[in-house]
Amino acid sequence: MKSTITALPVAALLSSLLLLSGMASAAPELSMEIKAEREVTLTDDNGNTRTEKVTADTAAPGDTVLYTLTYTNSGDETATNIKIDNPIPEGNQYLPNSAWGDGSDLYFSIDAGKSFKKASALTYQIDGTTRTAAPENYNAVRWVIKSIPAGTNGSVGFSAVVQ
Amino acid sequence: MKTQAARYLGAALLAGSVFVPTALYASTAANTTISNTVTVNFDDASGNAQTAVVASVSFSVNLVASAPIVSAPADVNPATESTLYNLVHSLTSTANGPDTYNISGASVDSNMDGSATFGGDATIVLGATTLAADFAAGVTTITVPFDGTDDGVVNGLAAGDLIVIDPTGTGEPAVIDSIDESTGAATNVVTITLTAATVNAATAGITIGETASTTTTVTTNTVTTPPSGTHTVTVTYTSAADAGVTATDDTVYTVVRSALTVTKYVRNATTANGTGTSIAFGGETYYDSGVNGNPGETMEYLIVIENPPTYADAQNIVVSDPIPQFTTYTAATIQLDANGGGLVAQDDSDSGDAAEFDGGANIVYVYAGATGSDGAAGFGNGTGGTLAGGETSAVIFQVTID
């Protein structure tokens, strides 16, 4: 009994080691960073204005906060079928047409992230009529990216108004 | 946004620039933490699902200063010269968080020798928050955003505070019974329990402002030319967070010069004598001094009250005259000439005409001037009459020397 017990784990260990080394040698390793920023308009003595982005440690109701989501694949294999889901935070309202992201497909949700659709397909029924959801009603954003090659990074983002 | 002016002033000054405020509105409470969390799901190159990656960022909401709602107390007319008045305002916050309001007074003056002077409360702190979730009519608990500190005080609101829900809308008053912040750290919202059920429903984002009263003392100046002048008093409440946010109330003080002259004369009704300044009244001669009498003799007092010509009406004229030591009031001897129409005998009782004698305190009360009345129960509680400018009222009563 004892010998068989010993024999089995060795085989299992071997196979799992092989598997591990296989994963370690080639795997995507995605990381994500979020920035929340605000645009501040400054006017110089000559009346010229310029806009600066500052980190939003604080914001007042009515302020627009720009969220930038930066992903990095620090692994050694391409990541595929990437879905970046971002619920619109409580106390924020999605700013229409503010979502962006190169090489990504944009979807939105009006049911707190249960289902995502293209903006034009995001409809709801009221009194038997079908209406297209207003961007203010979006409560989650999804970016779908086909692949992120190893060693590359990119950004997506959106803006929201503090309520 | 305006509050950020101060925040960026340093940077702006360094850059030789000024911050430009933009339009603002409030509906998330100050000090609320807003967190944004993103989840990334992905596969490897072979299509095997990988562990999701999560990242988040948060910031806190700033105070947006907002002009409080100020009550409008009634104008004061008449006011008297060089007199301190308490001007009480009720103040209700409409901001999204606690703020201090600095109180200042100013007066615009007409026919006065100078401006009114001010004292009293210098500042008032009002808590405020916003609703975190809708509530229906008839609830006693409401939820508001957590302010980051579990101390039983949420954004300046504490148990016992008087609040107004939706101050610029339904304006429903309520009293805070208790605040439970124990859930704040976990759920980002806290519960306020009210002492009574709400009358109206309310939606998330609506302002909840503390309401409290302030007292500004207003000391009137003197009238330049009788009969009266005015101080138009403006009390200004300025947000400490944003000096550009103010609320004001104007109260007009119509200051009337108090100009009644009262002169008291006496005559010996038993044995006429006297050496001082005399006055003839009702066929008798009264003196302001130099009158003497023997024990048992009757002395008759005359009190003359004059309101000089051009002066404003003097109202609520009450004469109280304690009977002098070593004399005894002679019952039913009070006579009153209300405003120049002639003497009318008065009874001593507590009601029925315009005079009464308080035998216990040994005081004669006369409600001089037109339409004076002793009708209110109790001695000294009657209503004094009115003397127009140029009118005179006179009172007579007798005592005997003990």
Side-chain angles (χ1 to χ4, degrees), chain A residues 7-162:
Chain A
L8 274 170
V10 169
L13 194 64
L14 272 171
S15 61
S16 62
L17 273 172
L18 282 168
L19 194 64
L20 277 172
S21 62
M23 278 176 71
S25 64
E29 195 178 323
L30 277 191
S31 61
M32 174 62 84
E33 265 183 41
I34 308 189
K35 263 194 305 193
E37 292 174 308
R38 279 186 298 128
E39 284 188 344
V40 179
T41 304
L42 300 165
T43 307
D44 67 18
D45 294 339
N46 302 321
N48 300 317
T49 59
R50 66 196 162 81
T51 305
E52 252 180 33
K53 276 188 194 172
V54 297
T55 302
D57 296 323
T58 64
D63 282 358
T64 297
V65 176
L66 291 74
Y67 291 105
T68 304
L69 288 54
T70 303
Y71 53 80
T72 304
N73 185 353
S74 53
D76 52 10
E77 187 184 297
T78 299
T80 63
N81 302 324
I82 300 97
K83 287 198 293 252
I84 302 174
D85 289 356
N86 193 341
I88 306 298
E90 190 107 351
N92 274 187
Q93 186 179 70
Y94 176 72
L95 185 70
N97 301 317
S98 67
W100 56 274
D102 294 337
S104 67
D105 287 327
L106 262 177
Y107 299 86
F108 299 95
S109 173
I110 53 170
D111 56 8
K114 289 194 189 77
S115 65
F116 285 88
K117 287 178 182 170
K118 289 276 190 190
S120 56
L122 210 51
T123 57
Y124 60 97
Q125 299 275 329
I126 186 162
D127 298 335
T129 344
T130 303
R131 302 190 184 187
T132 305
E136 291 81 359
N137 296 328
Y138 297 170
N139 47 32
V141 188
R142 168 178 285 180
W143 292 266
V144 174
I145 302 171
K146 286 196 174 62
S147 62
I148 303 171
T152 65
N153 58 44
S155 297
V156 297
F158 71 101
S159 299
V161 179
V162 180

Side-chain angles (χ1 to χ4, degrees), chain A residues 27-36 38 40-45 49-50 54-63 65 67 69 77-87 89-92 143 158 161-163, chain B residues 1 3-4 7-8 11-12 15-20 22-29 33-48 50 53-64 96 132:
Chain A
E29 195 178 323
L30 277 191
S31 61
M32 174 62 84
E33 265 183 41
I34 308 189
K35 263 194 305 193
R38 279 186 298 128
V40 179
T41 304
L42 300 165
T43 307
D44 67 18
D45 294 339
T49 59
R50 66 196 162 81
V54 297
T55 302
D57 296 323
T58 64
D63 282 358
V65 176
Y67 291 105
L69 288 54
E77 187 184 297
T78 299
T80 63
N81 302 324
I82 300 97
K83 287 198 293 252
I84 302 174
D85 289 356
N86 193 341
E90 190 107 351
N92 274 187
W143 292 266
F158 71 101
V161 179
V162 180
Q163 298 298 287
Chain B
M1 287 290 278
T3 51
Q4 290 156 23
R7 172 174 293 278
Y8 289 104
S17 320
V18 235
F19 179 75
V20 181
T22 55
L24 54 87
Y25 65 95
S27 59
T28 301
T33 298
I34 294 184
S35 294
N36 183 22
T37 301
V38 63
T39 305
V40 186
N41 290 288
F42 64 104
D43 300 342
D44 66 10
S46 315
N48 302 310
Q50 305 290 300
V53 174
V54 175
S56 64
V57 66
S58 62
F59 61 86
S60 72
V61 177
N62 282 327
L63 170 70
V64 178
N96 68 332

